[in-house]
Amino acid sequence: MHDPHDPYVRVRGAREHNLKGVDVDIPRDVLTVFTGVSGSGKSSLAFGTIYAEAQRRYFESVAPYARRLIHQVGAPKVGEITGLPPAVSLQQRRSAPTSRSSVGTVTNLSNSLRMLFSRAGDYPPGAARLDSDAFSPNTAVGACPECHGLGQVHRTTEELLVPDPSLSIREGAIAAWPGAWQGKNLRDILDALGHDVDRPWRELPADQREWILFTDEQPVVTVHPVRDADRIQRPYQGTYMSARRYVLKTFSDSKSPTLRVRAERFLTSAPCPACGGSRLRPEALAVTFAGRTIAELAALPLTDLAGCLVAGDETARVLTEDLTSRIAPVLELGLGYLSLDRSTPTLSAGELQRLRLATQLRSGLFGVVYVLDEPSAGLHPADTEALLTVLERLKSSGNSVFVVEHHLDVVRGADWLVDVGPNAGEHGGEVLHSGPVAELASVPQSATARFLFDRSPTAVRQVRTARAQLKVGPVTRHNLRGVTAEFPLGVFTAVTGVSGSGKSTLIGEITEDLAGVERLVSVDQKPIGRTPRSNLATYTGLFDVVRRVFAATEEAQTRGYGVGRFSFNVAGGRCETCQGEGFVSVELLFLPSTYAPCPDCGGDRYNPETLQVRRTGAGTSLRCWT
C-alpha cells in the first residue's frame, strides 16, 4: 500500500514503446530532467507513461458522459505508479493553428486588453460604452463585417483556378480542385449536371465557366460512377461546390496546414479596405487608450506595450497592473519581441511552448507535475538562464517539474537527473541513472555523461570555398525592416542570433526563384504525416516499393491485382469493416467509446484475398509490413 508521506513518484514495470520494464523513483517538488539520445525512450517515460497515467486517472474522475467528449490516449503499459500528483503537459505540439489564433489568444492577454478598453478606454463624445466582446475580431459584435474579422480579403480569378485552359475538366483543367476521390467526385457531378468534361476549358461557353468556378449554388445530383474492374460502386447523391467556394472554405476552415498552403496558391490577398487590416468594427476603433486604438497597441512588441500601460483613474490602474503582471513572464522568457496580434502559425514550436509556460506562471496551480518537452528549443544560449529562473519559480510554487531536454545548461541546472539509454530504439529503453546530476559522471555507458562533463574544445572544421553568393532581400516581415543578406552557396552556413532576432524569417525568404537555386528543400520541426493512417513506410515512400513488389508476384498477376490492391488506404484490397485502419470504435452505452482490433482482419488492415498473396524470402506477407 502506498505511503501518502512518501516523497517519490515510483514507476514500476514501464513498457511503453521501447521501455524495457523500467523501474524508477523520482522525487516530487524538484526540477527533474530526463536525458538520453533521440529515440532512447525518455519521452516514452515522461510523457507516454507518467503523464499518460496522470491523465488516465483524471479521466476516471470525470462523468462518463463527459468522457465521451474528450480525446483519450488510453492506459499506458506500466505495472504501477505510486505517489503521482495531477499533471499538466506542455508539449511542442501545434494544435491546428488558424488565422484567428494569435499570441494574445494563446496567453489570454487579449482578454485583459479588451477589458481595459471596455472599462477604461477614451470614448468619443456621446458614444455608448462597449462590452469587451466588441473589441474582439473573433466575435460577431466585434469583427469587421467586410472581412469577418480576418483583416484581409481573399479573392481568386479564372486565371489562378485554371492555369492551362487547353485542358479539359477530366484532364485536370481546374487545378484548384482537390485530388484523389474528392476531385473525381466534383468532376462526376459536373458530368451528371450535363457539362462537357472532355471539351477543352477554353471552348466551354463563358456562362458555364463562370458558374463552374464561382457559383454559390450547391446543387445535389445522383452520380452513377464508372465501374472499376475489381469493385462495384453504387450510385450516390453528390453535392457540387464551386472551385472558389472550395478554395475559400479550405483556406479558412481546414485543420491541415498542407491543404491551407495549397489553397493559398489560388488566392490573392489584400488588407481589408473597410478596417485597414485591423479586423475590427469602426465603433471599436473609435475607442483609444494612451492615445492608441486597441489594434495599434496589439501591434506593438510586448516590451513596448508594457511601457504604454500608464494608469489613469482607479479602474484603469487595477486593469493595467493586472495586464503588466501577465506580460512580465512572457518578457522573462525572452519573448518580448512578439506582439499580441502575431499570428500563431508564424511562431515556432518552441515559442508556442514558452508562451504556454508563461501563462502557467499566472495560473496559481500548486501540487501538480508539469511535464515539459524541450522548453529550450529555439532558445539562444543567452536566454537559457531566464528559462531556468521560470522553471525554478514553478517549482517554488509547490510543483514538481519534469523536463525532457537536450540543452546541457538546462541539464546542469536540474536537481535530479533521469538518463535513459544507452542508445536509441531497441538499444535503449533502460534507465541508466536516476539521481543527482553530478553522479552521472560515474555511469560509463551514458552518452549524456560524455558531453555533460567533457569540456574539451571542439575541433575546428576546414572551411570550404563558396562557389557563388546568393543575395536575399531587402526583407520587411515580422521584425525585419529592409534587411539584405548574402549567403554563400556550396558550403555549410549557420544562421545565428538571439531568439526572435529574425533568423527563420530571413531564411524563409529563400525561394527557388532566386538565381543559383535549382531546387529548394525545406526541413523543419513540424510533425510528419498528414493523417492517422500515415506511418513511417508510407511517409518515406518505402511502402510504394513494397506494394510494387507484391504486385509483381506471380499470384498477384494471376489474380489481376495491381499496385492499388496492396494499399490499406483505398477500397479493393483493404478490409472494409475497419476501412483499412486495423481497429474499430466500439460505442458503449453511458461510457466513452473505446477501440478494439477489427473483428474481421484482426488488425491486419487487409481483406483475406489480399493477404493470400505472398512472396518468397523476408517479409513474405503483407502482415510483416503493417
Side-chain angles (χ1 to χ4, degrees):
M1 190 174 192
H2 172 61
D3 178 1
H5 301 293
D6 183 0
Y8 285 83
V9 175
R10 301 186 187 275
V11 179
R12 296 292 179 266
R15 304 178 307 281
E16 196 68 27
H17 300 312
N18 65 331
L19 298 179
K20 298 173 180 175
V22 163
D23 296 344
V24 65
D25 298 333
I26 307 168
R28 292 194 299 273
D29 304 326
V30 302
L31 171 56
T32 298
V33 172
F34 293 74
T35 58
V37 299
S38 300
S40 60
K42 55 187 183 298
S43 293
S44 297
L45 180 57
F47 286 98
T49 302
I50 296 174
Y51 173 68
E53 173 62 12
Q55 188 183 44
R56 183 192 68 80
R57 293 179 186 181
Y58 166 72
F59 284 147
E60 283 190 348
S61 70
V62 175
Y65 178 78
R67 263 183 269 168
R68 296 171 61 92
L69 308 177
I70 305 173
H71 173 69
Q72 302 179 43
V73 297
K77 297 175 182 176
V78 62
E80 181 185 41
I81 302 181
T82 60
L84 179 60
V88 175
S89 168
L90 295 176
Q91 292 179 269
Q92 287 194 43
R93 66 184 188 277
R94 286 190 174 276
S95 51
T98 70
S99 54
R100 293 188 181 273
S101 177
S102 66
V103 169
T105 58
V106 168
T107 59
N108 294 322
L109 286 169
S110 289
N111 293 342
S112 299
L113 188 63
R114 283 161 36 206
M115 185 65 69
L116 176 66
F117 270 76
S118 173
R119 302 290 178 84
D122 295 321
Y123 286 74
R129 189 165 295 277
L130 302 175
D131 290 335
S132 63
D133 280 355
F135 296 95
S136 170
N138 298 330
T139 64
V141 295
C144 167
E146 181 71 21
C147 64
H148 306 289
L150 292 175
Q152 291 195 320
V153 288
H154 304 287
R155 298 186 176 91
T156 188
T157 64
E158 180 175 356
E159 290 72 24
L160 286 172
L161 299 172
V162 186
D164 186 353
S166 67
L167 299 177
S168 67
I169 293 175
R170 190 185 300 277
E171 292 171 332
I174 306 176
W177 268 0
W181 181 88
Q182 195 177 0
K184 179 178 180 296
N185 170 55
L186 291 170
R187 182 199 73 198
D188 290 346
I189 292 172
L190 282 181
D191 190 23
L193 287 169
H195 294 278
D196 191 342
V197 298
D198 293 304
R199 189 176 175 184
W201 177 263
R202 63 163 60 99
E203 296 180 11
L204 294 176
D207 60 337
Q208 287 191 26
R209 300 201 307 265
E210 174 75 15
W211 189 89
I212 291 170
L213 295 181
F214 303 112
T215 184
D216 288 325
E217 298 176 33
Q218 292 185 281
V220 179
V221 66
T222 300
V223 178
H224 298 271
V226 177
R227 296 190 176 193
D228 294 336
D230 58 348
R231 67 180 186 275
I232 297 176
Q233 289 185 313
R234 296 177 179 175
Y236 64 89
Q237 296 296 106
T239 303
Y240 184 69
M241 179 186 296
S242 70
R244 177 180 63 184
R245 190 182 185 93
Y246 167 77
V247 168
L248 289 173
K249 181 177 177 61
T250 302
F251 180 71
S252 61
D253 297 342
S254 176
K255 296 185 182 303
S256 166
T258 303
L259 290 179
R260 286 202 306 275
V261 169
R262 183 182 183 275
E264 192 174 13
R265 288 167 31 203
F266 303 102
L267 294 171
T268 58
S269 302
C272 173
C275 67
S278 67
R279 307 169 62 192
L280 291 166
R281 289 178 178 268
E283 298 89 336
L285 293 173
V287 183
T288 62
F289 184 87
R292 288 183 169 94
T293 67
I294 191 170
E296 290 169 340
L297 287 183
L300 292 176
L302 286 170
T303 48
D304 296 343
L305 174 61
C308 291
L309 299 176
V310 180
D313 58 21
E314 181 64 20
T315 300
R317 186 182 63 79
V318 172
L319 292 170
T320 54
E321 286 181 355
D322 174 72
L323 190 53
T324 302
S325 67
R326 292 177 182 273
I327 292 174
V330 182
L331 303 183
E332 193 174 355
L333 283 169
L335 298 171
Y337 57 88
L338 297 176
S339 59
L340 292 185
D341 65 358
R342 175 79 175 264
S343 177
T344 300
T346 68
L347 302 176
S348 71
E351 286 172 326
L352 265 176
Q353 185 183 207
R354 290 198 297 283
L355 284 175
R356 297 187 183 109
L357 179 57
T359 305
Q360 287 298 322
L361 286 174
R362 290 278 307 176
S363 68
L365 290 178
F366 63 92
V368 305
V369 175
Y370 282 98
V371 190
L372 285 79
D373 180 18
E374 286 193 68
S376 71
L379 264 185
H380 191 274
D383 299 316
T384 305
E385 187 175 346
L387 171 63
L388 285 169
T389 301
V390 169
L391 297 180
E392 283 290 331
R393 285 175 57 193
L394 279 180
K395 183 185 73 173
S396 63
S397 299
N399 302 298
S400 306
V401 183
F402 291 179
V403 181
V404 175
E405 189 55 85
H406 288 290
H407 197 298
L408 296 181
D409 286 341
V410 177
V411 176
R412 294 186 184 103
D415 303 308
W416 194 266
L417 181 63
V418 177
D419 193 50
V420 185
N423 295 306
E426 64 179 14
H427 302 294
E430 302 175 27
V431 171
L432 304 178
H433 172 70
S434 179
V437 177
E439 294 180 7
L440 183 67
S442 61
V443 183
Q445 65 268 47
S446 169
T448 305
R450 294 198 297 272
F451 292 90
L452 192 60
F453 303 107
D454 182 8
R455 303 288 186 142
S456 58
T458 305
V460 178
R461 290 170 54 100
Q462 182 179 358
V463 179
R464 299 176 60 185
T465 303
R467 69 168 187 264
Q469 295 288 328
L470 178 68
K471 184 177 180 180
V472 178
V475 180
T476 299
R477 181 175 172 83
H478 299 321
N479 60 329
L480 298 183
R481 297 291 178 266
V483 173
T484 301
E486 290 189 354
F487 296 91
L489 296 178
V491 299
F492 180 24
T493 299
V495 180
T496 62
V498 297
S499 304
S501 57
K503 306 181 294 292
S504 299
T505 304
L506 181 61
I507 291 297
E509 293 297 314
I510 299 177
T511 68
E512 293 185 20
D513 298 332
L514 294 174
V517 179
E518 296 179 2
R519 185 182 179 210
L520 182 69
V521 179
S522 176
V523 181
D524 55 30
Q525 294 183 0
K526 293 177 183 176
I528 65 173
R530 290 175 292 175
T531 72
R533 292 177 173 273
S534 178
N535 58 34
L536 185 61
T538 58
Y539 182 81
T540 59
L542 173 62
F543 211 70
D544 295 340
V545 179
V546 173
R547 292 191 292 123
R548 286 198 297 268
V549 167
F550 276 88
T553 61
E554 184 177 344
E555 179 69 19
Q557 293 179 359
T558 300
R559 296 181 179 218
Y561 292 170
V563 173
R565 178 82 190 196
F566 299 96
S567 170
F568 48 71
N569 288 327
V570 296
R574 72 183 181 187
C575 170
E576 288 302 321
T577 302
C578 63
Q579 300 286 293
E581 293 193 22
F583 58 85
V584 292
S585 174
V586 181
E587 297 286 340
L588 302 175
L589 190 61
F590 305 123
L591 288 172
S593 301
T594 186
Y595 292 93
C598 175
D600 284 356
C601 70
D604 290 334
R605 309 177 76 166
Y606 293 94
N607 57 36
E609 295 77 16
T610 306
L611 292 173
Q612 287 171 2
V613 178
R614 305 175 68 86
R615 60 180 294 273
T616 58
T620 57
S621 168
L622 274 173
R623 286 191 180 95
C624 301
W625 296 92
T626 58

